[in-house]
Amino acid sequence: MKIKTLAFSTLESFLHNRLLLLVLVLALCLLTLMLYPLLQAKARTTGENQQAIASMVLEMISQVMSFSSGLGALLAAWGAADAFNTELKSGTVLAVMARPVKRWEFLLGKYLGVMLFMGCYVLVMLGLSYLMAWLAGVRVQASPLVLLLYPMVRYAIYAAIAMFFATLTNTIATMGAVFVIAMGVEFVAPDASAWMPKLAWLKSALYYVLPSTNLLTEGRFLSLRQASLKQVSWQEHAISLGYGLDFAFILLLLAMWSFHYRTLRKD
Amino acid sequence: MTTPAIEFRNVTKVYRKRTRGVEVAALTSATFSVFPGEVCAFLGPNGAGKTTSISMLMGFFFADSGEISVMGYPPGDVRAKSETGFLPENFAFYKYLNARRLLRFHYALSGRNKENVNLAISELLSKVKLSDFEKLKIGKYSRGMVQRLGVAQALLHDPKLLVLDEPTSGLDPAGRKDVRDVISALRAAGKTVFLSSQLLSEVEQVCDRVIIISKGRVVQSGRMEVLLGAADRVEILATAGSEGLEAKVAEWGGVTTRHGHGVTIVVPVDRKRELAELLWQSGQDVVHILPLRSSLEDLYMRTVGTEGGQA
């Protein structure tokens, strides 16, 4: 009950965060602008180029999803850091923590609030993608559940990373750390360019330590068309999602541990 | 033996600056107790360690050594917190909420049964005189209104212990009187109140116990009537003063004031008989002899001096 109260209060605080809302509105405007080339492509469709246009439209939708996905990761990290640090900065945490609330409950409530917000974000972005596909007259082959769950798990990882760093430092430093990790993930991915042989061990080590968010990109399912590639089984989905959730869970536990020993004062 | 509502035993807290290796002792072997039903004032100059002590009491900071118990539990324990109401200094709220919604939020966090919550909130808002503003967003409240709302949220779940850090800060005289009345009502209801305040005269009116802290050390602690009750001076009102009286009184360390209806003389209590006899021998009437009790301000100034400039 207390966790639910904290989660909904966090969600409400996001809905009153003007900066966050401004970013969302700008993103929405940008996505709406992308409808223009999409409709243009649709208008050029003929019997001969139908296949190519459909492929192009799907690629565009995939890019829209990538954009919203990148923005989502940023929002998840920023939301988590801001939800935590704003409480400290304003001093509201003192009144909240004076209530019979355990520290882990507070952190979990904040985290779930971020995830509720990200859930709304994913739903809106997914709806927009389907709208774009419908306008362009193509069908998204990937299951909506996949397109919902994958970004949510990825955002859960970024929110947990940010939450952990937020218990140690301020929002700007937290975002810096998240950015470095996100970059690191790209550099150590198996398909990334090779490192110097001397540092191969470091690349392997970082690959195992850093979250493999590439595995959790829903974009790779968007461009799939029937019979073009082997369908991914639900078992494989479960393993990928389980991996992501496990990573997020560990980070969240670390954040709870760190917060447990942190002094609380108005910053 | 009664378990203290608050107990500090040899509590030490040192702040360390990680980068420079500087250490500042915020609290050194602080020992004191507050018993159930008492209203206790926690006084000291700025930087004496009051907020540090209150933060440790609420489980926000951790002591380096020593033991703290709140309602018989370690600080920060949910069992202790469920029986404690807290008003931090410069209380902060979610500004986008109104008073009723904020109190509902805090009520939900207190884990209490939701029955009659609306009624309880209405009563509280009425008690702190915010009923007319309950729909106004807190961001639009004045400092005094925010402080009154803070008092309401501290009382929200009918706690046995109230920890109030500067409860009258930002309030006008009428608001201060309201808070004083609330504290008096809490005392009458048998609640324990632990409050820090800068306003010594107000504290003196409502408190049973005083703890004075200076430079991180408890320098005075005890029941108010014991600390203030030992009159060390007497005031004698006589019809007139003989010649040379002022010089004699000054020699004894006293003060003479002549006025329309005679002369008032204040001398140390051990000179009372000598002065009375001197007045009688010179043919004066002694109208009254009053033992002078120290005020809390006197006690404070004697204990802490002018360190920090104020309480």
Side-chain angles (χ1 to χ4, degrees):
Chain A
M1 185 63 197
K2 292 173 196 170
I3 295 171
K4 187 178 137 192
T5 303
L6 286 164
F8 279 100
S9 148
T10 305
L11 176 65
E12 190 175 358
S13 74
F14 286 140
L15 301 179
H16 287 89
N17 188 327
R18 285 180 192 168
L19 190 58
L20 203 62
L21 293 180
L22 182 72
V23 170
L24 282 178
V25 169
L26 287 177
L28 217 57
C29 290
L30 202 64
L31 291 177
T32 315
L33 272 178
M34 288 178 84
L35 279 176
Y36 170 70
L38 203 68
L39 292 172
Q40 199 178 38
K42 168 75 177 163
R44 285 187 190 155
T45 309
T46 60
E48 290 169 0
N49 66 4
Q50 194 174 13
Q51 207 61 346
I53 291 285
S55 182
M56 194 185 88
V57 165
L58 274 175
E59 187 54 39
M60 286 176 76
I61 294 174
S62 178
Q63 279 174 9
V64 168
M65 288 292 271
S66 295
F67 168 76
S68 67
S69 171
L71 181 70
L74 182 78
L75 283 178
W78 182 28
D82 191 60
F84 181 83
N85 280 323
T86 303
E87 290 268 1
L88 288 180
K89 207 172 171 183
S90 65
T92 46
V93 68
L94 298 182
V96 172
M97 289 311 297
R99 297 280 160 210
V101 175
K102 290 175 181 156
R103 289 192 175 205
W104 68 264
E105 288 176 323
F106 173 80
L107 208 74
L108 185 59
K110 288 273 144 199
Y111 182 75
L112 292 178
V114 176
M115 292 316 293
L116 276 174
F117 179 70
M118 294 317 297
C120 299
Y121 174 82
V122 168
L123 280 175
V124 170
M125 289 305 170
L126 187 62
L128 203 68
S129 300
Y130 272 86
L131 175 71
M132 289 167 93
W134 177 74
L135 286 173
V138 294
R139 188 162 170 254
V140 177
Q141 296 293 334
S143 155
L145 209 56
V146 168
L147 299 180
L148 263 175
L149 290 178
Y150 272 76
M152 281 304 287
V153 171
R154 209 174 54 253
Y155 300 154
I157 292 176
Y158 279 112
I161 293 172
M163 199 64 105
F164 171 63
F165 282 106
T167 60
L168 302 171
T169 185
N170 60 37
T171 304
I172 294 171
T174 295
M175 290 310 289
V178 172
F179 184 73
V180 167
I181 287 175
M183 288 287 102
V185 167
E186 295 301 321
F187 285 117
V188 299
D191 53 352
S193 54
W195 288 27
M196 281 188 292
K198 275 184 187 173
L199 294 175
W201 64 272
L202 182 62
K203 187 182 177 188
S204 303
L206 286 174
Y207 177 69
Y208 287 112
V209 171
L210 296 177
S212 296
T213 43
N214 296 339
L215 280 179
L216 297 162
T217 310
E218 68 281 12
R220 68 192 175 111
F221 303 110
L222 259 181
S223 53
L224 292 185
R225 270 170 286 134
Q226 278 172 337
S228 65
L229 277 173
K230 180 176 87 70
Q231 288 290 314
V232 180
S233 72
W234 280 108
Q235 269 179 333
E236 288 168 301
H237 282 311
I239 288 170
S240 295
L241 295 172
Y243 157 78
L245 286 175
D246 189 40
F247 196 95
F249 181 63
I250 289 168
L251 260 297
L252 195 60
L253 285 181
L254 279 175
M256 286 171 179
W257 172 77
S258 164
F259 184 49
H260 187 77
Y261 295 102
R262 187 191 162 127
T263 56
L264 299 179
R265 74 176 84 200
K266 189 176 175 181
D267 282 343
Chain B
M1 191 179 160
T2 317
T3 308
I6 297 170
E7 189 172 25
F8 273 52
R9 269 181 290 172
N10 294 314
V11 176
T12 296
K13 173 75 183 171
V14 179
Y15 290 122
R16 295 175 182 85
K17 283 204 171 178
R18 283 181 220 163
T19 45
R20 294 179 195 165
V22 179
E23 293 194 348
V24 180
L27 216 57
T28 309
S29 295
T31 299
F32 62 83
S33 302
V34 181
F35 292 92
E38 284 184 336
V39 177
C40 175
F42 193 48
L43 310 174
N46 293 333
K50 297 192 298 289
T51 300
T52 298
S53 302
I54 289 177
S55 296
M56 286 197 289
L57 167 65
M58 294 306 300
F60 301 153
F61 290 4
F62 305 101
D64 291 327
S65 63
E67 284 179 40
I68 304 172
S69 85
V70 184
M71 304 304 283
Y73 301 108
D77 190 300
V78 285
R79 289 167 297 183
K81 290 200 282 187
S82 65
E83 294 184 359
T84 308
F86 177 53
L87 172 67
E89 191 181 5
N90 300 322
F91 198 25
F93 300 94
Y94 301 116
K95 291 179 179 170
Y96 51 84
L97 294 181
N98 61 35
R100 180 169 288 275
R101 287 198 58 213
L102 184 97
L103 292 181
R104 282 186 74 93
F105 168 73
H106 278 280
Y107 199 87
L109 291 184
S110 70
R112 296 290 162 115
N113 195 327
K114 272 195 165 180
E115 278 176 30
N116 301 326
V117 57
N118 281 326
L119 185 67
I121 289 173
S122 296
E123 281 175 7
L124 265 177
L125 288 173
S126 165
K127 190 183 269 187
V128 296
K129 300 190 173 143
L130 285 177
S131 298
D132 295 340
F133 307 99
E134 65 170 78
K135 287 180 182 166
L136 187 69
K137 284 192 178 168
I138 301 168
K140 294 182 177 169
Y141 275 21
S142 69
R143 178 82 187 86
M145 288 162 81
V146 167
Q147 195 67 6
R148 292 212 295 271
L149 184 59
V151 172
Q153 71 77 36
L155 300 172
L156 188 59
H157 59 295
D158 192 25
K160 289 180 185 165
L161 166 67
L162 276 128
V163 179
L164 310 174
D165 198 355
E166 303 289 349
T168 53
S169 160
L171 295 180
D172 56 18
R176 288 209 293 269
K177 186 186 175 300
D178 289 343
V179 171
R180 220 165 47 223
D181 290 346
V182 167
I183 293 171
S184 298
L186 289 169
R187 178 166 58 181
K191 310 280 185 189
T192 311
V193 182
F194 185 69
L195 73 105
S196 88
S197 177
Q198 307 276 15
L199 301 166
L200 299 180
S201 58
E202 289 188 352
V203 162
E204 192 174 344
Q205 289 178 58
V206 292
C207 291
D208 307 307
R209 179 177 289 276
V210 182
I211 296 164
I212 301 178
I213 185 170
S214 176
K215 293 177 183 168
R217 292 177 187 276
V218 175
V219 288
Q220 192 68 269
S221 169
R223 299 275 305 170
M224 186 83 83
E225 71 268 14
V226 175
L227 294 177
L228 304 184
D232 53 354
R233 291 165 301 151
V234 288
E235 178 193 274
I236 296 181
L237 176 63
T239 48
S242 58
E243 286 209 6
L245 178 70
E246 277 95 341
K248 197 72 187 169
V249 167
E251 192 183 306
W252 288 339
V255 177
T256 310
T257 313
R258 291 185 184 273
H259 42 74
H261 25 266
V263 58
T264 301
I265 307 147
V266 176
V267 288
V269 71
D270 54 346
R271 297 288 184 182
K272 176 180 69 178
R273 176 178 286 273
E274 265 178 286
L275 177 63
E277 283 172 356
L278 184 71
L279 289 166
W280 283 322
Q281 280 165 13
S282 61
Q284 307 303 320
D285 271 346
V286 172
V287 181
H288 73 224
I289 301 178
L290 286 176
L292 288 183
R293 197 177 101 135
S294 300
S295 68
L296 184 58
E297 191 172 298
D298 295 334
L299 175 72
Y300 180 85
M301 294 309 287
R302 274 204 309 274
T303 311
V304 179
T306 51
E307 177 206 322
Q310 56 183 343

